[in-house]
Amino acid sequence: DDDYTTEGVAITLPVPTRTGYTFDGWYEESDFSGTKLGVTYTTTADITIYAKWSANTYTVLYEYNGRDGGDSDSSDTYTTGGTSITLPVPTRTGYTFAGWHDNADLSDASDVSSPYTTSVNRTLYAGWSAIDYALSYNANNGTGSLPASSVNYNYQDSVGILGPGGLTRTGYSFVGWTQAADGSGTVYTSGDTLSMPAQAVTLYAKWSQPTLTLDSST
C-alpha cells in the first residue's frame, strides 16, 4: 500500500516481478479494460489498482547425443500456465535411453521428466547407458577347452578374435570361427577383429575334414 495526499508528491508506482510472467503495467480496473497507468500516480480517493501480467513463452531445445530412432523433435515451447511439455523419448542402437539432463556433461541430479515446465529458455541433453553384450565361443562338435567368454562388450566395440586354444576334433582341422553353426559367413581367425553388433554373439568353430586321395595305380 502507498499513501497519497492531495496536492502532495505523486506516487512512483512499483515495478513488481513474477516468475514466468512479464509485468504489463498497473490498471484502475480489475478487468484491465481501461488505460494503463503511467510511472507516477495521483488520486483524489482511496483506490485499489491492479497489476497486469502476460504469460511468458519459453523454448526448450533438445540435444539428442547420437539418437538414431524414436522421437526427433528439435524443440518445444512452454507458456507459463499452459499445457506441460511431454518430453521426447529417443532411441539409439546399442544404448538404453537414460533420461534428459539440464547440462551438457550430464552431471546434474535434477529430475527432468514429463510432464515438463520451465521458467527459462533452456537446452536439454539426452543421456545414454551403453548395453553390455556377450561374446562366447562354441566348440561345434569339438572337444577340449574353449577360449573364455566375455560379457563386457558394447555396440561397435572392436573385439579381437582368439585362437582355438585347446580345442580339437578327431579327423578334422580347425579353420576358424563363424557366426553360423553351419560354417557359413565370414571366417574369423586369431588376430582378426569383429565389430560388435547390438546383440550377443556366439562364434562357432569351423572344421575342415581332410580330403583323401586314392592312388589307383596300386
Side-chain angles (χ1 to χ4, degrees):
D1 295 343
D2 277 316
D3 294 328
Y4 172 74
T5 302
T6 302
E7 297 184 0
V9 177
I11 297 169
T12 298
L13 296 179
V15 181
T17 59
R18 181 183 177 188
T19 300
Y21 293 83
T22 297
F23 176 60
D24 199 25
W26 293 99
Y27 290 78
E28 292 181 343
E29 301 81 18
S30 60
D31 63 357
F32 314 114
S33 57
T35 302
K36 181 167 65 175
L37 303 179
V39 176
T40 60
Y41 185 71
T42 62
T43 181
T44 58
D46 293 339
I47 191 171
T48 297
I49 59 176
Y50 301 88
K52 183 179 180 181
W53 301 96
S54 297
N56 294 338
T57 297
Y58 302 100
T59 299
V60 178
L61 301 176
Y62 301 114
E63 283 288 345
Y64 285 98
N65 291 332
R67 67 158 287 282
D68 54 19
D71 295 339
S72 60
D73 293 341
S74 60
S75 65
D76 275 311
T77 58
Y78 171 70
T79 300
T80 304
T83 302
S84 301
I85 296 172
T86 299
L87 295 176
V89 181
T91 59
R92 182 182 177 187
T93 302
Y95 293 80
T96 299
F97 178 57
W100 293 101
H101 295 257
D102 284 324
N103 50 25
D105 65 6
L106 313 180
S107 62
D108 66 291
S110 62
D111 181 17
V112 180
S113 58
S114 294
Y116 182 73
T117 63
T118 182
S119 58
V120 294
N121 295 318
R122 68 167 67 251
T123 299
L124 297 181
Y125 302 87
W128 302 97
S129 296
I131 300 171
D132 288 335
Y133 297 103
L135 183 141
S136 59
Y137 295 87
N138 185 295
N140 203 17
N141 297 315
T143 59
S145 58
L146 283 165
S149 299
S150 175
V151 295
N152 298 320
Y153 297 116
N154 301 137
Y155 176 57
Q156 294 183 327
D157 276 355
S158 182
V159 181
I161 303 301
L162 302 177
L167 197 63
T168 61
R169 184 180 177 187
T170 301
Y172 290 80
S173 298
F174 177 77
V175 176
W177 306 97
T178 68
Q179 294 187 53
D182 65 3
S184 60
T186 302
V187 178
Y188 299 93
T189 58
S190 178
D192 288 343
T193 59
L194 178 149
S195 180
M196 198 69 184
Q199 62 184 37
V201 171
T202 299
L203 292 178
Y204 296 87
K206 182 170 183 175
W207 303 100
S208 175
Q209 192 171 27
T211 300
L212 295 178
T213 302
L214 298 177
D215 186 352
S216 61
S217 65
T218 60

